[in-house]
RNA sequence: GCGGGUAUGGUGAAAUUGGUAGACACGCCAGACUUAGGAUCUGGUGCCGCAAGGUGUGAAGGUUCGAGUCCUUUUACCCGCACCA
């Protein structure tokens, strides 16, 4: 009986679906285990073999845990709001909801292309997902709760005293009692103080404005990253190297009124929480970097002749007597106010020039020092000496207060700035407050010095100096200790269509939340998905997008009267809104009242194992932790951290294939540049390598072509003046070839298929120079797997040809889960052959060959070695070595001609997490009813591995010379006696007596001479 | 610049945590069965060498009876952050 993966896999996939084999129960006596994958964005391109890698790993763990007796929650869903669907909608006019649904469920799109659909592709791989809990973030019954969470954030403030988020009601109570003077909140800067009486005298509108400064999500005019090409603002984590993460479009700073999330309130808890969770050091480090905690002090400097003061944050308050000048960011709000008339022109010119430069330009050129003296002087808080105030673009408006106290003797940048402007108006001599030489460079160390020229700090070091200066600053009211974070509040508005609408309408420009009982506020229909002509977001195109506050319904814009009917918010939420809480929705996915019921949340707690890509290090993973902590504070989330253990699967890279088009390059004399003619001729890879170095080789390979080329060259040279310095060479244009046109294993190009492919219609008449064996061989290179590189391998194709179990095993076999590795279909025959061998242990040509005889000790040993290894491997997420162990075991059992039930039954169970279909079929063939999924995993028993003998390696001076088999119960003395008497030992020693003999029983024997 | 990570055959990679380096595969070589092979099976395969033997885990030192593994220095590549005060 042969192994037919297609029948077996279809059969069991159907069985699992019909029997709801993997549906998790919210009521179970078993311990819970929650394994989660980062849910995918369902793109139209479909899955390639890189996508399922993490899903296979998590599925192995999920299936293993079921065998171990856990109640396993292993859900899957879709992060289905997002930019690509909207861009596609703009291009094709199709509703994003329609294309999104098709990308998930499959079908035929408007242009007649068949879309497989994520769900169909995933189903073929045999995942044990509980699909009954599927979520889609773009479904109103899901985003209803996203809107609800937004409202909760709006109705909360962060109390630093209790160190948690609280209902805004507690803040209002405090205002009513004591005003805001005692309030210790994370809030906007520079809130005007008010008393209880003041508060009560405020109008409702004034009160709302005040509260907005405290809410955890707030509407404020802030500097945002505006991406004109995408027509939207972007969060900091959506910008990479100064351009948009999606599309690489330029981004500029712009002031806009936007919703923001006060994530900065959670900076310290987000940082501390990292110590509690089992994540990779690199991701934790990324988050630590992103949060960017620095400990130091705030210091205030009064500005001479102005009623103004400059607040600076510094990590080195101990160097305060070394302040030589101050620098403000050009955008700093005080710049215009303090600049003297004489300096006005220069300052304005500089500010304007800086504003024109994009973020990217500023980042690209960090070496150029530039700045202007404002003419103003600040006053040193202790010496009262005047300190010149400069502006310079090395100071960033977005960090700290956008101002620095420049201490050139202790800071490289201040040092460079001071030296650059040395001797110019407003730049004094550098003050040195260290007992160190600073003639060549600043002394930036925090140790190894004593403070000098520093009044009461003299003689102190960094630590004592810092402590002392903070005390003194506090005494005179000029500063205090301060912890600063790089983490900024996150912009939460997007000028896009395909996202969650805000449950918000505006009365007199002030935002009002719609009551939760009227949720969801469903995304309105629009004619087109582009911004409106007057620059409003796409929702500005909606005609039915106003809130009737009396009837609590979305109504036509015509009815807006601003007394009962008000305009609704036109922005939508960013992509991370829906993904920042979805793991909790899976716990109770069908709840229509709450995002999840309390009992379900309490039962499942949080995610035990989370697997996904490291690209979400500072986006999704940070926002999710933030929302989780917030929901915990407000009594909704069960735990402080959402994901206990995190594993980042590595990227699977593609093996791009190339054909090489010949290009003739020449220049009549060395003064001109190279000219080239593309030649419609493709050279096979091996010849290409030879020819690239010296094209004369071509003469041996194909003389006709060579002559033709020489003629072409000569023709070209005849056109110009033929000089003695003329040069000629050939090069090659590598052209990506679609993998469907090649044999992935032999790398042979199917020339007919290539010519027939519409992608390559330009090359229909091309000449192909093949290898000596008559084959055209393509070149291969490792690149990121992507549609545009034509190197995508579709898991469906692998499933068709080799089966899902083979695909699963092979993806695991490729290497350690967390490592990036290239996909090479050629290697798959190894695991494919393994499954066939495994099958043949159970069946011969006529059917089952299972016997109930007692297996031999060797068979037991092979099995238990495997039980031990596989159990350890799964616990350590080392799946590649498990597959190797399976191969070793099956090879051994084949040698032993093992067909014993007592071995083969546990073996099927061992394989089951990895290759579930074949395991089910083998289990069935062994005569069992039902699924193997929850049958107890085999237990390792030491007794089967106990050995009586050991093949000892015998080394001389650490070099292994021979092995000797000895009983394990020998004493060191007995071993020494036997080894020294051995002929081979005598030969090695050649008459010498060893100085030392190291014997580690059960391990090694080493003779030292 | 700071931080994290990686480095082992022609290739993907193992190595019980200091104890026989290269398991398991791919590829390659030889053979068997075959009209055929991108099928199946057998044997071989780090490098140099006919062999004995030598040599070998990015490089250089060190600790140790013994180092891929521990320590010091260093190089290359990948990732994150970056005029962060």
């Amino acid at each position: 009986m042969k192994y037919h993966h297609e029948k077996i896999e279809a059969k069991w996939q159907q069985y699992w679906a019909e029997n709801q084999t993997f549906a998790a129960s919210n009521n179970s006596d078993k311990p819970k285990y929650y394994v989660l994958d980062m849910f995918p964005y369902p793109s139209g391109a479909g899955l390639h073999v890189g996508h399922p890698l993490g899903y296979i790993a998590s599925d192995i763990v999920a299936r293993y845990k079921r065998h171990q007796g856990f109640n396993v929650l292993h859900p899957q869903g879709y992060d289905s709001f997002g930019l690509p669907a909207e861009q596609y909608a703009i291009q094709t006019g199709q509703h994003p909801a329609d294309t999104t649904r098709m990308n998930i469920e499959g079908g035929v799109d408007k242009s007649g292309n068949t879309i497989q659909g994520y769900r169909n592709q995933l189903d073929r791989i045999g995942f044990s997902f509980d699909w009954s809990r599927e979520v889609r973030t773009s479904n109103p019954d899901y985003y209803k709760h996203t809107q609800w969470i937004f409202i909760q954030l709006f109705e909360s403030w962060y109390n630093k005293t209790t160190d948690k988020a609280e209902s805004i009601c507690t803040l209002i109570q405090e205002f009513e009692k004591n005003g805001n003077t005692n309030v210790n909140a994370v809030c906007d800067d520079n809130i005007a103080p008010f008393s209880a009486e003041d508060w009560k005298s405020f109008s409702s509108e004034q009160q709302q404005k005040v509260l907005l400064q405290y809410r955890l999500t707030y509407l404020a005019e802030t500097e945002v990253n505006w991406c004109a090409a995408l027509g939207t603002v972007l969060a900091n984590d959506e910008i990479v190297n100064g351009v948009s993460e999606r599309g690489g479009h330029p981004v500029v700073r712009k002031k806009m009124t936007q919703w923001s999330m006060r994530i900065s309130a959670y900076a310290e808890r987000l940082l501390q929480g990292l110590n509690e969770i089992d994540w990779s050091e690199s991701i934790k480090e990324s988050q630590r970097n992103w949060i960017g905690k620095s400990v130091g002090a705030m210091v205030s400097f009064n500005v001479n002749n102005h009623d103004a003061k400059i607040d600076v944050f510094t990590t080195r308050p101990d160097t305060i007597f070394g302040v030589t000048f101050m620098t403000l960011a050009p955008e700093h709000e005080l710049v215009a106010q303090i600049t003297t008339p004489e300096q006005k022109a220069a300052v304005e010119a500089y500010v304007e020039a800086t504003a024109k430069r994009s973020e990217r330009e500023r980042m690209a050129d960090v070496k150029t020092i530039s700045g202007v003296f404002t003419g103003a002087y600040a006053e040193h808080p202790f010496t009262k000496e005047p300190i010149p105030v400069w502006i310079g673009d090395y100071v960033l408006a977005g960090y700290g207060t956008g101002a620095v106290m420049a201490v050139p003797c202790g800071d490289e940048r201040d040092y460079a700035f001071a030296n650059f402007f040395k001797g110019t108006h407003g730049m004094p001599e550098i003050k040195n407050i260290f007992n160190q030489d600073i003639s060549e460079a600043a002394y930036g160390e925090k140790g190894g010095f004593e403070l000098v020229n520093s009044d009461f700090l003299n003689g102190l070091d960094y630590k004592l100096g810092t402590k002392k200066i903070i005390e003194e600053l506090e005494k005179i009211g000029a500063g205090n200790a301060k912890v600063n974070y790089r983490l900024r509040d996150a912009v939460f508005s997007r000028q896009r269509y395909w996202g969650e609408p805000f449950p918000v309408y505006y009365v007199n420009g002030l935002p009002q939340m719609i009551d939760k009982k009227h949720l969801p506020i469903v995304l309105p229909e629009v004619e087109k998905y582009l911004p409106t002509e007057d620059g409003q977001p796409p929702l500005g195109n909606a005609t039915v997008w106003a809130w009737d506050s009396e009837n609590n319904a979305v109504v036509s814009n015509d009815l807006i009267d601003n007394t009962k009917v008000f305009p609704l918010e036109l922005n939508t939420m960013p992509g991370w809104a829906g993904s920042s809480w979805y793991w909790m929705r899976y716990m109770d996915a069908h709840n229509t009242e709450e995002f999840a019921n309390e009992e379900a949340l309490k039962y499942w707690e949080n995610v035990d194992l989370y697997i996904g890509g490291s690209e979400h290090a500072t986006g999704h993973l940070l926002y999710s932790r933030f929302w989780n902590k917030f929901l915990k504070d407000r009594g909704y989330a069960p735990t402080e951290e959402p994901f206990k253990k995190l594993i980042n699967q590595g990227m699977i890279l593609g093996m791009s294939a190339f054909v090489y088009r010949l290009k003739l390059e020449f220049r009549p004399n060395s003064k001109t540049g190279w000219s080239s003619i593309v030649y419609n001729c493709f050279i096979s890879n091996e010849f290409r390598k030879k020819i690239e170095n010296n094209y004369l080789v071509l003469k041996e390979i194909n003389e006709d072509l060579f002559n033709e080329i020489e003629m072409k060259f000569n023709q070209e040279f005849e056109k110009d003046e033929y000089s003695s310095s003329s040069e000629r060479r050939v090069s090659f244009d590598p052209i990506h070839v679609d993998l469907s046109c090649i044999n992935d294993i032999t790398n042979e190009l199917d020339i007919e298929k290539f010519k027939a492919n519409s992608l390559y219609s330009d090359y229909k008449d091309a000449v192909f120079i093949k290898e000596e064996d008559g084959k055209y061989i393509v070149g291969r290179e490792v690149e990121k797997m992507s549609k545009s590189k034509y190197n995508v391998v579709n898991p469906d194709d692998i499933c068709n040809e080799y089966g899902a179990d083979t695909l699963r095993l092979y993806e695991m076999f490729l290497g350690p889960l967390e490592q990036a590795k290239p996909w090479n279909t050629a290697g798959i025959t190894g695991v494919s052959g393994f499954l066939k061998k495994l099958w043949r242990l159970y069946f011969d040509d006529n059917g089952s060959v299972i016997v109930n005889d007692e297996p031999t000790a060797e068979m037991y040993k092979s099995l238990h070695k495997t039980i031990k290894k596989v159990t350890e491997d799964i616990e350590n997420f080392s799946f590649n070595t498990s597959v190797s162990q399976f191969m070793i075991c099956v090879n051994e059992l084949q040698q032993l001609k093992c067909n014993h039930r007592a071995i083969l039954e546990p073996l099927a169970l061992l394989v089951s997490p990895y290759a579930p279909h074949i395991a089910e079929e083998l289990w069935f063939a062994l005569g069992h009813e039902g699924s193997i999924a929850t049958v107890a995993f085999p237990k390792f028993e030491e007794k089967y591995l106990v050995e009586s003998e050991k093949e000892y390696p015998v080394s001389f001076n650490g070099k292994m010379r021979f092995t000797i088999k000895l009983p394990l119960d020998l004493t060191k003395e007995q071993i020494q006696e036997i080894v020294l008497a051995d002929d081979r030992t005598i030969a090695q020693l050649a008459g010498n007596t060893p100085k030392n003999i190291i014997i580690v029983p059960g391990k090694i024997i080493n003779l030292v001479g």
Side-chain angles (χ1 to χ4, degrees), chain A residues 214-460:
Chain A
Y214 290 87
R215 297 180 188 275
L216 282 181
T217 185
Y218 58 98
L219 196 60
E221 187 177 63
T222 44
E223 279 241 316
V224 295
N225 308 298
W226 172 254
C227 178
L230 294 173
T232 187
V233 301
L234 297 171
N236 289 344
D237 65 282
E238 292 167 318
I239 299 161
V240 179
N241 295 327
V243 296
S244 70
E245 186 186 22
R246 281 202 179 275
H249 305 293
V251 173
V252 294
R253 306 284 295 172
K254 191 175 168 183
K255 279 215 160 179
M256 285 177 76
T257 298
Q258 301 281 297
W259 285 103
S260 280
M261 286 281 162
R262 217 178 286 280
I263 187 173
S264 55
Y266 285 86
E268 187 61 30
R269 280 167 66 187
L270 288 168
L271 186 66
Q272 293 310 321
L274 292 172
N275 300 327
E276 318 287 307
I277 48 185
D278 186 3
W279 292 16
S280 75
E281 207 40 53
S282 69
I283 296 271
K284 286 191 190 181
E285 208 45 44
S286 287
Q287 294 214 342
R288 286 191 194 109
N289 262 327
W290 195 259
I291 295 165
K293 179 181 184 175
S294 21
V295 179
M298 287 296 284
V299 186
S300 283
F301 291 78
N302 290 318
V303 183
N304 291 344
N305 312 321
H306 285 278
D307 182 20
K309 57 190 179 93
I310 300 170
D311 290 324
V312 299
F313 172 74
T314 176
T315 54
R316 295 297 303 276
D318 59 315
T319 65
I320 194 154
F321 290 97
V323 177
T324 304
F325 59 99
M326 302 191 72
T327 316
L328 308 183
E331 300 90 339
H332 197 283
E333 53 184 14
L334 283 179
V335 171
Q337 192 189 331
I338 64 170
T339 301
T340 58
E342 302 82 63
Q343 294 300 105
K344 196 171 177 230
V347 166
E348 277 177 0
Y350 184 74
V351 169
E352 202 183 316
T354 314
K356 268 193 198 148
R357 297 174 73 195
S358 69
E359 195 85 340
R360 193 172 200 189
E361 277 174 313
R362 259 173 90 168
M363 279 165 58
D365 120 85
V366 295
K367 289 195 185 88
T368 315
I369 295 168
S370 69
V372 180
F373 179 40
T374 61
Y377 289 85
E379 180 191 77
H380 192 283
F382 295 102
T383 67
K384 306 294 176 191
E385 280 173 32
I387 307 164
V389 180
W390 288 65
I391 60 172
D393 70 358
Y394 81 98
V395 178
L396 304 176
Y399 182 77
T401 60
V404 300
M405 54 176 231
V407 183
C409 65
D411 184 283
E412 218 180 288
R413 296 152 302 174
D414 297 343
Y415 189 88
F417 196 85
N419 277 315
F420 188 81
F421 291 106
K422 193 174 176 179
T424 63
H425 176 49
M427 184 54 69
E429 279 293 303
I430 293 174
K431 286 183 186 149
N432 188 6
I433 44 130
F434 299 121
N435 59 342
Q436 299 287 335
D437 174 33
I438 56 146
S439 58
E440 292 298 318
Y443 187 80
E445 307 290 314
K446 282 185 179 175
F449 67 87
E450 241 178 46
L451 289 165
V452 295
N453 304 325
S454 292
D455 197 346
F456 51 83
L457 297 179
N458 282 341
L460 300 181

Side-chain angles (χ1 to χ4, degrees), chain A residues 24 165 199 224 327 334 412 429 443 458 464 546 603 669 717 877 898 910 963:
Chain A
W199 173 257
V224 295
T327 316
L334 283 179
E412 218 180 288
E429 279 293 303
Y443 187 80
N458 282 341
L464 291 171
Y603 178 73
N669 63 67
F717 284 123
F877 308 99
C898 175
L910 286 177
T963 59

